[in-house]
Amino acid sequence: MSFFDLKGTLKPLTALKQFGKKPHTIDFPKKTLEAADRYRGFHYNELDECIGCGNCSIICQNAAIDMINLDGIEGKNGDSGLRPRIDHGRCCWCALCVDVCPTGSLSLTKDYQYISTDPDSFLWIPGVDNPEGKNNLSFTSDKENSLNDFGRIPMPELDGMERVKSFAEAVLGYSEEMAREEASRCISCGLCTEVCPDHMHIPEYINAIASGNDKDAIRIIYDNNPLPEMCGKVCTRRCEDVCAIATRGDSVAIRWLKRYATETAATADITYEIVNPEIKEANGYKVGIVGAGPSGLTAAYYLALRGFDVTIYEANAKAGGMTMYGIPKYRFPLESLDKQVEYIEKIGVKIKYNTRVGKDISFDKIYKESDAVFMGVGFPKAWTLGIDGEDAKGSMQAVNYLHEINAGEKVEIGDKVAVIGGGNVAIDAARVSARMGADVTILYRRRVEDMPADWEEIEGAEDEGINIVPQAIPIKVISDKKGKVTGIEYLMAEMVPDERGGRPKPVAIEGSNKVLEITALMGAIGQQGDYAFLEEYSDKIKEERGRFVVNEKQQTTDPKVFAGGDAVNRTADAISAIADGFRACKAIDEMLVKK
């Protein structure tokens, strides 16, 4: 026997030295070991904090995460209703899913041992299959260590006391570098698209901006919105309210990014060249549209693209409706609106200006000469305050004041103005009055936090020196012997909780009377429709609570007539009106061409 043969025979005996030593393994599951504090074990998800954005699924390089529906979890604004399911046969415990979770709901635990002969049992729904994991978290994310960027790129704007001196645009817009950086914050979850009334392709155009493809962004935007620069400046941006990044930081500046992209096309001709719209051959059908507001312009644009002969009848000298005559030019410059309307006219839409339906042309004539009619007539009539002395000289409605100013008319308001109301119209009237040199006070019956106006507009008003008096209920307009307004008397209010769980109600405090000396008063407590132009058709086209009754296709009770905008929905914003016009276009096309 050789030396090597002997060594091979004796080698196993060396294992005898291990007898009596403590084993390296444990008798699982009778015994367990404590993992390190940051050990990456099984996943746990706080289901109530999760919004189903799918960011964890997108980043997983092993395709180990699926987004699925769970019983008892319904989708809602800002929550897809989906929750992650982990395939632990694929997972490598890299924890990238935790690092990119915008809400911080997804974590890893110290738990790492699981034995089963059933391969399907390794598909876990974190938080459902291991609820006890909540008490054993190890690897979690926070804002400081997250891979998400929770800080918005600030928007440059004029200083408050500087901008109040003129009607120059207050918001200056993003530079290219700023837009690219801000767009890169988007995680493409799509929650914004779901809540957008027009369901714009938001992640797609933001990703195009982030990639430096501004022309692609414009083409994507114009797919279902012909007035995007308007929305980029004055949209109510409900999309930003549900942004996944906003759960622990600042929402992506969706509105400002839309503005950036559309402003890169400086003229209607450049926009036309970039979008390169496909205009179908004439189909022989005519559509008459009453009102050149956002809903009417949208319906007209997409109908013209489909080959319809479209004519809009507009009572004013300019198109745009309330966006033209109700929004101050420091928010939405005239040249911006003109560019968008010119583009719409370039694709074949005809607009007859200074043509009031019911006066210059009858609704009956439009109805009989058209194969379909769309009404986007808005809410032009203001509600009055309903208090004593309201008919005094110098007492006016804010919406009328804004209309006259935007039309270039001169309005005498003096140097002390009071505005009654808390919505955007009230804020706009106040800020315009300040630009006219007046000392302005807003009286609002509830608290400042209850004001329905955009919070940015409220802050803008305060920055411009406008005084807001909350919990103030006006009761009387005071005037001099010549009938000219000199003051507004009001009562202070206390907020009383609503027994049914609604928001607190303002209740006047007896004896708390105050008088504010003023030279002009503006009421801004809401508006209503004016449908006198319908004449004999008013019996055929049903109304309820001041609005036209329409179905899901924007069709009224007269099958030939469609309607949209403020005269139909209560959201009172341009993007909802645009969505109405887009739906009506598809319905008219379906009714006439695809029947």
Side-chain angles (χ1 to χ4, degrees):
M1 177 181 295
S2 69
F3 170 76
F4 293 104
D5 290 337
L6 179 61
K7 183 178 179 182
T9 302
L10 299 176
K11 187 68 173 177
L13 298 178
T14 61
L16 293 175
K17 66 181 180 180
Q18 300 296 331
F19 283 120
K21 290 187 177 181
K22 186 177 181 180
H24 295 290
T25 59
I26 60 172
D27 186 8
F28 179 81
K30 293 180 181 179
K31 296 180 180 179
T32 60
L33 292 177
E34 182 71 18
D37 288 340
R38 291 285 281 172
Y39 187 83
R40 301 176 183 181
F42 296 126
H43 296 74
Y44 174 79
N45 189 29
E46 194 66 60
L47 299 175
D48 292 338
E49 294 179 6
C50 179
I51 57 176
C53 67
N55 210 28
C56 54
S57 178
I58 293 171
I59 202 169
C60 182
Q61 299 177 12
N62 298 324
I65 304 178
D66 296 319
M67 301 301 294
I68 65 172
N69 288 296
L70 295 182
D71 291 339
I73 296 180
E74 301 293 334
K76 57 185 178 181
N77 285 351
D79 185 345
S80 71
L82 303 176
R83 295 296 181 264
R85 179 181 64 184
I86 314 294
D87 183 348
H88 287 110
R90 290 176 175 269
C91 180
C92 67
W93 286 270
C94 66
L96 283 175
C97 54
V98 175
D99 286 328
V100 300
C101 178
T103 66
S105 68
L106 194 62
S107 304
L108 295 179
T109 70
K110 291 184 178 181
D111 303 315
Y112 60 92
Q113 295 172 323
Y114 180 75
I115 297 174
S116 175
T117 59
D118 179 10
D120 291 336
S121 68
F122 289 88
L123 287 172
W124 281 20
I125 302 172
V128 174
D129 294 325
N130 63 335
E132 71 285 348
K134 182 176 184 178
N135 303 316
N136 204 21
L137 301 182
S138 59
F139 192 91
T140 58
S141 71
D142 53 38
K143 286 180 61 174
E144 287 69 29
N145 298 314
S146 174
L147 296 182
N148 297 309
D149 186 349
F150 291 102
R152 175 184 287 201
I153 301 299
M155 170 57 69
E157 58 182 326
L158 295 175
D159 176 73
M161 300 316 294
E162 180 64 28
R163 63 177 181 251
V164 78
K165 297 176 182 178
S166 73
F167 280 82
E169 190 168 10
V171 175
L172 301 179
Y174 280 147
S175 66
E176 179 180 345
E177 181 181 359
M178 295 165 74
R180 303 273 185 261
E181 186 174 351
E182 178 62 23
S184 69
R185 299 175 58 228
C186 177
I187 65 173
S188 300
C189 64
L191 296 175
C192 48
T193 296
E194 289 302 312
V195 77
C196 173
D198 197 36
H199 301 302
M200 292 191 67
H201 316 303
I202 298 171
E204 290 81 359
Y205 75 69
I206 290 181
N207 284 337
I209 295 171
S211 302
N213 299 320
D214 295 334
K215 290 182 179 180
D216 283 347
I218 292 173
R219 282 188 282 267
I220 293 168
I221 288 169
Y222 271 90
D223 180 62
N224 60 348
N225 187 342
L227 298 165
E229 194 168 317
M230 171 194 297
C231 292
K233 293 176 184 288
V234 299
C235 186
T236 49
R237 72 200 192 296
R238 279 176 276 168
C239 52
E240 294 182 14
D241 292 337
V242 301
C243 177
I245 297 298
T247 56
R248 289 196 290 176
D250 302 322
S251 62
V252 174
I254 298 171
R255 176 176 60 176
W256 300 140
L257 290 172
K258 190 187 299 98
R259 168 184 170 155
Y260 162 79
T262 53
E263 283 188 334
T264 60
T267 67
D269 288 336
I270 295 174
T271 301
Y272 190 95
E273 181 182 345
I274 293 172
V275 177
N276 190 23
E278 179 185 353
I279 305 173
K280 294 183 178 180
E281 293 184 6
N283 57 30
Y285 292 104
K286 291 185 176 182
V287 178
I289 295 180
V290 183
S295 65
L297 288 170
T298 301
Y301 175 77
Y302 290 108
L303 284 167
L305 289 180
R306 286 166 166 80
F308 287 86
D309 181 358
V310 185
T311 301
I312 302 178
Y313 301 90
E314 170 55 45
N316 294 299
K318 289 276 190 179
M322 285 299 294
T323 58
M324 165 61 205
Y325 291 99
I327 298 178
K329 296 309 146 191
Y330 63 82
R331 290 180 60 198
F332 187 28
L334 181 59
E335 56 270 20
S336 176
L337 177 58
D338 284 346
K339 181 183 80 173
Q340 293 170 90
V341 174
E342 182 185 345
Y343 170 70
I344 291 173
E345 290 179 307
K346 282 181 71 69
I347 59 102
V349 173
K350 298 183 289 293
I351 305 177
K352 293 190 175 182
Y353 296 103
N354 298 309
T355 305
R356 184 175 295 277
V357 178
K359 179 182 178 182
D360 302 306
I361 186 174
S362 69
F363 183 80
D364 179 65
K365 181 176 175 63
I366 297 173
Y367 185 92
K368 290 178 178 176
E369 293 181 354
S370 305
D371 296 292
V373 178
F374 178 84
M375 300 185 298
V377 294
F379 259 24
K381 290 177 61 177
W383 289 107
T384 58
L385 297 172
I387 59 177
D388 291 341
E390 189 178 2
D391 57 351
K393 295 178 183 178
S395 175
M396 64 195 77
Q397 301 305 320
V399 67
N400 297 337
Y401 171 69
L402 292 171
H403 187 288
E404 292 167 355
I405 293 296
N406 283 356
E409 300 176 21
K410 184 175 177 61
V411 184
E412 183 59 46
I413 60 172
D415 60 358
K416 291 185 178 180
V417 174
V419 180
I420 311 300
N424 281 330
V425 172
I427 299 293
D428 286 343
R431 296 178 72 181
V432 168
S433 297
R435 281 163 172 75
M436 294 298 180
D439 179 18
V440 186
T441 298
I442 295 175
L443 302 178
Y444 180 57
R445 63 198 304 263
R446 297 179 185 272
R447 301 166 299 184
V448 171
E449 57 263 37
D450 299 320
M451 295 177 78
D454 191 312
W455 62 266
E456 287 183 347
E457 298 305 310
I458 296 172
E459 288 185 351
E462 292 176 330
D463 288 344
E464 292 168 7
I466 292 167
N467 182 35
I468 299 176
V469 180
Q471 296 171 228
I473 302 176
I475 58 174
K476 182 181 179 181
V477 178
I478 302 170
S479 56
D480 60 20
K481 294 180 180 180
K482 295 181 180 180
K484 179 74 171 64
V485 62
T486 60
I488 177 73
E489 183 177 358
Y490 61 96
L491 291 170
M492 299 307 297
E494 61 178 339
M495 303 304 294
V496 178
D498 184 2
E499 295 179 355
R500 293 176 294 182
R503 61 177 181 171
K505 298 179 180 180
V507 177
I509 301 172
E510 187 176 350
S512 64
N513 305 56
K514 294 186 178 183
V515 175
L516 177 68
E517 292 185 2
I518 56 174
T519 55
L521 175 69
M522 299 178 190
I525 61 170
Q527 292 149 238
Q528 58 185 316
D530 182 2
Y531 311 133
F533 68 91
L534 288 174
E535 300 173 340
E536 69 268 25
Y537 288 86
S538 60
D539 292 334
K540 296 181 180 180
I541 301 173
K542 186 178 179 181
E543 302 170 34
E544 278 185 4
R545 299 182 179 180
R547 286 181 166 85
F548 295 122
V549 175
V550 298
N551 60 18
E552 69 281 357
K553 297 180 179 181
Q554 304 301 134
Q555 192 173 36
T556 70
T557 47
D558 184 326
K560 186 176 176 179
V561 181
F562 298 75
D566 291 351
V568 169
N569 65 63
R570 298 180 181 277
T571 52
D573 59 10
I575 191 63
S576 296
I578 288 168
D580 289 346
F582 192 59
R583 274 192 298 272
C585 165
K586 291 188 286 186
I588 291 170
D589 187 38
E590 181 181 291
M591 179 181 74
L592 297 177
V593 178
K594 300 175 182 177
K595 59 185 177 181

